[in-house]
Amino acid sequence: MNIFIIFSIFITIAALASYINYRFIKLPSTIGLMVIGLGMSLGIIGLDIVGVEILQPAEELVKSVDFGETLMKGMLSFLLFAGAIKININDLAKQKSVVSVLATVGVFMTTFIVGTAIYYVLQLFGLSFPYIICLVFGALIAPTDPVAVLSILKTINAPKTLETKIAGESLFNDGVGVVIFTVLVGIAAGESTSFGDAILLFVEEAIGGVVFGLGIGLAAYRMLSKVDDYAVEILITLALVCGGYALAAQLHTSGPIAIVVAGLLIGNYGRRLAMSETTRDHLDKFWELIDEILNAILFVWIGLEVLVLAFTVDFLLIGLIAIPLTLGARFFSVWSTISLFKFRRQFTRNATLILTWGGLRGGISIALALSLPAGASRDLIVSITYVVVVFSILVQGLTIKRIITPEESPA
């Protein structure tokens, strides 16, 4: 099918879903769109059961575009940049210790806790998968999703410091999670990866991503400072996102981390020192619109993905069990981090609970699961990942506001 036709269909579905949600359902945008996507999927399956043959063409449409490839190597760069330019770097700097530990040590801890727990859960169901495969699941479900987190944060009145922790962590820990995932997938595939090689890969991807992001961000900043035309300056930021993300992949550094770092630089110093008020206004509106459009497509798409999943009753039950396991691991990693720093600083009341419940999983976890080689382990991992993500966005996303009280005095 022609790529323009496919894109047109998804845009049309997203537009109709946005209209329906705005007029009738009135849920937060991303949640409402995913609910509608899920409803469409279940409706198509129901029609197929009663004899209306619509399931096969719907499956072909969803399969016609690689979700993992499109998100990880296309949409993600735009969404990360759009989120990063809104973060105040001074607020983030005040939370750098907590954010750094959550985005690194926290991801490692969650990976091994979830992976180990799932290994034993699978045995209860008579399923025997290598421990390394379970760790792969732990790695892809460990990082919080910046796209889901930032979209939900728009709808809640979180204390500023807490919002910075949640947003800052989500912007960086997906890059760390992707690196851990890549290493573990290589080991599972039989590649000889020593501990030293794994550490070297992590440094190359993560630290290299930070350095590369600073480099391309500074280059774009210098160009922006020499121009006073909002159309040209917006085009420069587009080139930064597209070209920078593509070049990072070629250099084997973390594209997500590079774009976040570049976005923070442009969003703080570029906007303030290299742009006129007119350019700032146009830039903000442009990237907010990009963010809204891509989020609409992404969350409808997540809902439609249920059409192509290999669900079984056992997979569904394991997915349901994986929900409290993932939350428990997240709680432990957050509690450990806060315990480490609570003697030096104060935290918002219920910070552990809020950071745990606000650590949403989203499209990145599904994209990583779908990137695995075909086989029984892929079908299992994709299915249970989908269950965890749907719960995270629908249940956690809809209830996070209830555990945050605006009168709290954050530190």
Side-chain angles (χ1 to χ4, degrees):
M1 189 181 294
N2 183 286
I3 188 65
F4 177 75
I5 295 175
I6 296 170
F7 181 73
S8 299
I9 292 172
F10 275 106
I11 282 286
T12 303
I13 293 173
L16 290 173
S18 296
Y19 175 81
I20 292 169
N21 182 60
Y22 181 84
R23 285 294 309 276
F24 306 109
I25 303 178
K26 301 186 185 300
L27 287 173
S29 178
T30 50
I31 297 175
L33 292 174
M34 198 182 81
V35 167
I36 292 170
L38 275 171
M40 290 176 62
S41 297
L42 296 176
I44 290 169
I45 293 171
L47 288 173
D48 188 74
I49 291 173
V50 299
V52 180
E53 297 182 358
I54 192 176
L55 180 59
Q56 183 176 350
E59 287 180 348
E60 290 176 357
L61 173 64
V62 175
K63 288 179 179 178
S64 62
V65 183
D66 188 319
F67 180 90
E69 188 85 2
T70 304
L71 177 58
M72 297 303 296
K73 296 185 179 179
M75 296 169 68
L76 183 60
S77 59
F78 296 94
L79 292 165
L80 288 176
F81 186 82
I85 60 174
K86 300 172 186 175
I87 301 295
N88 186 302
I89 201 166
N90 294 322
D91 292 339
L92 185 61
K94 294 176 184 177
Q95 309 296 333
K96 62 181 182 298
S97 300
V98 177
V99 168
S100 298
V101 173
L102 283 172
T104 53
V105 178
V107 174
F108 277 102
M109 290 173 61
T110 303
T111 295
F112 284 95
I113 293 172
V114 173
T116 302
I118 283 293
Y119 176 75
Y120 290 107
V121 168
L122 293 180
Q123 292 183 0
L124 295 176
F125 284 81
L127 299 173
S128 179
F129 286 95
Y131 180 57
I132 189 66
I133 295 296
C134 299
L135 288 180
V136 167
F137 170 71
L140 66 86
I141 210 67
T144 57
D145 189 301
V147 180
V149 169
L150 293 174
S151 63
I152 296 300
L153 281 177
K154 296 176 186 177
T155 68
I156 63 177
N157 185 24
K160 189 63 180 176
T161 53
L162 196 59
E163 181 179 330
T164 301
K165 291 186 187 81
I166 297 173
E169 179 205 358
S170 69
L171 284 169
F172 283 102
N173 70 5
D174 66 300
V176 175
V178 170
V179 175
I180 299 172
F181 173 82
T182 302
V183 172
L184 291 174
V185 168
I187 296 173
E191 299 175 6
S192 55
T193 304
S194 66
F195 180 75
D197 291 336
I199 295 297
L200 182 62
L201 177 60
F202 181 82
V203 170
E204 181 182 351
E205 289 272 348
I207 307 301
V210 172
V211 174
F212 182 68
L214 284 172
I216 60 176
L218 286 170
Y221 169 76
R222 291 294 300 274
M223 294 174 69
L224 291 168
S225 66
K226 304 295 183 182
V227 178
D228 187 17
D229 184 306
Y230 72 83
V232 175
E233 293 177 79
I234 290 174
L235 191 58
I236 289 171
T237 63
L238 270 175
L240 168 64
V241 173
C242 299
Y245 200 83
L247 186 55
Q250 296 302 311
L251 296 175
H252 302 291
T253 62
S254 173
I257 292 177
I259 293 301
V260 168
V261 171
L264 288 171
L265 195 153
I266 297 300
N268 287 269
Y269 301 108
R271 289 179 76 261
R272 181 163 53 89
L273 302 175
M275 297 179 189
S276 66
E277 185 63 39
T278 299
T279 297
R280 282 195 290 270
D281 183 57
H282 280 87
L283 182 83
D284 290 344
K285 289 178 180 177
F286 173 82
W287 281 105
E288 185 174 351
L289 186 60
I290 291 290
D291 188 42
E292 292 292 341
I293 292 172
L294 292 183
N295 266 307
I297 296 172
L298 174 61
F299 283 91
V300 168
W301 200 351
I302 291 175
L304 292 173
E305 278 292 313
V306 75
L307 292 172
V308 297
L309 299 184
F311 266 117
T312 67
V313 174
D314 282 353
F315 287 3
L316 179 59
L317 291 174
I318 295 168
L320 293 174
I321 294 172
I323 292 170
L325 293 179
T326 304
L327 286 171
R330 168 73 177 172
F331 181 89
F332 181 76
S333 67
V334 171
W335 173 82
S336 301
T337 302
I338 289 179
S339 298
L340 180 66
F341 289 100
K342 70 179 181 180
F343 299 106
R344 291 173 19 188
R345 63 196 306 165
Q346 291 182 323
F347 287 86
T348 303
R349 183 166 59 89
N350 294 330
T352 301
L353 175 61
I354 297 169
L355 285 167
T356 299
W357 203 248
L360 306 182
R361 274 69 184 185
I364 291 176
S365 293
I366 295 175
L368 291 176
L370 289 169
S371 72
L372 294 170
S377 61
R378 179 184 184 273
D379 291 341
L380 168 68
I381 289 175
V382 170
S383 297
I384 60 178
T385 299
Y386 193 84
V387 174
V388 173
V389 167
V390 169
F391 175 88
S392 181
I393 294 173
L394 293 187
V395 180
Q396 292 174 236
L398 281 174
T399 56
I400 181 63
K401 191 173 183 178
R402 298 180 184 178
I403 63 173
I404 297 176
T405 54
E407 66 271 13
E408 289 175 348
S409 177

